[in-house]
């Protein structure tokens, strides 16, 4: 399976981190995820975006955002939905990105396989992310559609033409066996696999009727993968530590500052720009302000600083994987006591002196 990140990625994100904490009014984005449409053919149990009123961000909206100073040529832009390929201007948008900002990615459920295959071949996104949450039976149960064969059709067609990742969400409606199945599919086709853990997000998911586990809306099963699942996860460190550390976070032992909100941003189909994917805290709307004003304005900087220091309330892949990678790389260079001088107190386990390396070694 492919490596998720290169040494260049780590070095660049390190420099970006320094810029964004030292120059908070001049921050630059490493990632910009655009939820451009609510249209979707799935009826997923873990996402209710398909139940929202139909709305889109137009090509003009997106072009205006891309002119922002906080967006650089190195900013990775993700096109998603809903199902992006259903956007009425999908091909126009991808053609614009191909010409003007080729560092963009496409996320898809692949329920319209020929449209996805043709669009990727014609407009050449840098990466294709494909949702797959288990075998055929699990897929239909979890996503409300018999789409497994269509996902495999896209993987077989494009695996040698574009970097491709299978996106697995561990949830209340699937299992570690499903995770092992998807890891095996990724191995078979020689593609990357990325693991997420279900959490309620204001934009996508309705809160569950009653809290589960040690955190609100958490999962009931204990997150210590065994056997073949453990061995499969260990082949991609970013997947393994993200899953293995979940229990420490859920039990209240792990505390990391949320630094991802300083360099990663999401824009919703109605133009809202939330602080993050977890909290229902909106920084602004692109129909009322520029993206630079929203992301780097004085009030937004105060909000970002507050939540960066005090929020530890989610385990969402988009945010917490960034924080894990950031701090574990600090620990490769400096002792924990020195890191806390500029980063602030943090801990991986109930033992505040425990380092990332020692903890992961102990549980492997």
């Amino acid at each position: 399976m492919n490596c998720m990140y290169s040494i260049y990625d780590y070095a660049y994100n390190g420099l970006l981190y320094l810029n964004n904490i030292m120059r908070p009014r001049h921050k630059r984005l490493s990632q910009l995820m655009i939820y451009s449409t609510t249209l979707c053919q799935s009826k997923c149990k873990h996402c209710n975006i398909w139940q929202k009123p139909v709305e889109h961000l137009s090509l003009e909206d997106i072009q205006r955002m891309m002119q922002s100073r906080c967006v650089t040529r190195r900013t990775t832009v993700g096109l998603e939905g809903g199902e992006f390929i259903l956007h009425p201007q999908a091909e126009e948008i991808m053609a614009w990105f191909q010409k003007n900002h080729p560092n963009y990615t496409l996320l898809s459920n692949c329920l319209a396989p020929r449209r996805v295959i043709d669009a990727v071949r014609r407009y050449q996104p840098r990466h294709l992310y494909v949702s797959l949450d288990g075998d055929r039976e699990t897929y239909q149960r979890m996503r409300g559609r018999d789409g497994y064969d269509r996902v495999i059709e896209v993987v077989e067609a494009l695996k040698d033409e574009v970097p491709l990742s299978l996106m697995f969400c561990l949830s209340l409606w699937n299992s570690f066996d499903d995770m092992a199945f998807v890891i095996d599919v990724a191995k078979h086709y020689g593609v990357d696999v990325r693991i997420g853990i279900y959490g309620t997000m204001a934009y996508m998911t309705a809160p569950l009727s009653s809290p589960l586990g040690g955190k609100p809306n958490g999962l009931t099963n204990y997150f210590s993968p065994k056997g073949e699942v453990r061995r499969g996860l260990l082949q991609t460190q970013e997947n393994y530590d993200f899953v293995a550390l979940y229990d420490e976070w859920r039990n209240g032992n792990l505390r990391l500052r949320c630094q991802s909100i300083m360099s990663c941003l999401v824009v919703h189909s109605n133009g809202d720009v939330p602080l993050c994917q977890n909290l229902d805290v909106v920084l602004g709307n692109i129909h009322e302000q520029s993206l630079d004003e929203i992301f780097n304005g004085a009030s937004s900087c105060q909000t970002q600083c507050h939540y960066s220091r005090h929020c530890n309330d989610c385990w969402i892949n988009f945010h917490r994987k960034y924080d894990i990678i950031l701090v574990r790389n600090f620990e490769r260079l400096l002792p924990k006591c020195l890191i806390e001088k500029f980063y602030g107190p943090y801990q991986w386990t109930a033992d505040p002196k425990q380092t990332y390396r020692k903890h992961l070694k102990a549980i492997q």
Side-chain angles (χ1 to χ4, degrees), residues 34-104:
I34 303 175
Y35 291 92
S36 59
T37 179
T38 56
L39 283 173
C40 189
Q41 323 96 309
S42 286
K43 292 188 176 181
C44 298
K45 292 182 177 180
H46 61 300
C47 173
N48 69 352
I49 197 169
W50 53 275
Q51 296 177 313
K52 287 178 173 288
V54 174
E55 58 188 11
H56 318 288
L57 290 172
S58 69
L59 172 60
E60 291 72 24
D61 293 331
I62 293 171
Q63 288 172 327
R64 191 168 60 253
M65 285 191 289
M66 294 301 296
Q67 294 171 359
S68 306
R69 291 186 301 275
C70 61
V71 178
T72 75
R73 63 184 179 86
R74 293 189 177 92
T75 301
T76 299
V77 178
L79 300 178
E80 55 183 307
E83 172 62 7
F84 172 79
I85 210 71
L86 299 181
H87 192 295
Q89 292 182 292
E91 292 202 27
E92 295 173 68
I93 293 169
M94 293 181 73
W96 185 89
F97 273 97
Q98 182 185 29
K99 180 179 180 181
N100 297 282
H101 192 91
N103 187 25
Y104 80 100

Side-chain angles (χ1 to χ4, degrees), residues 21-40:
I21 62 170
M22 295 176 68
R23 305 171 71 232
R25 297 294 301 276
H26 302 277
K27 297 187 298 296
R28 300 292 183 260
L29 289 168
S30 63
Q31 293 190 70
L32 174 63
M33 304 303 290
I34 303 175
Y35 291 92
S36 59
T37 179
T38 56
L39 283 173
C40 189

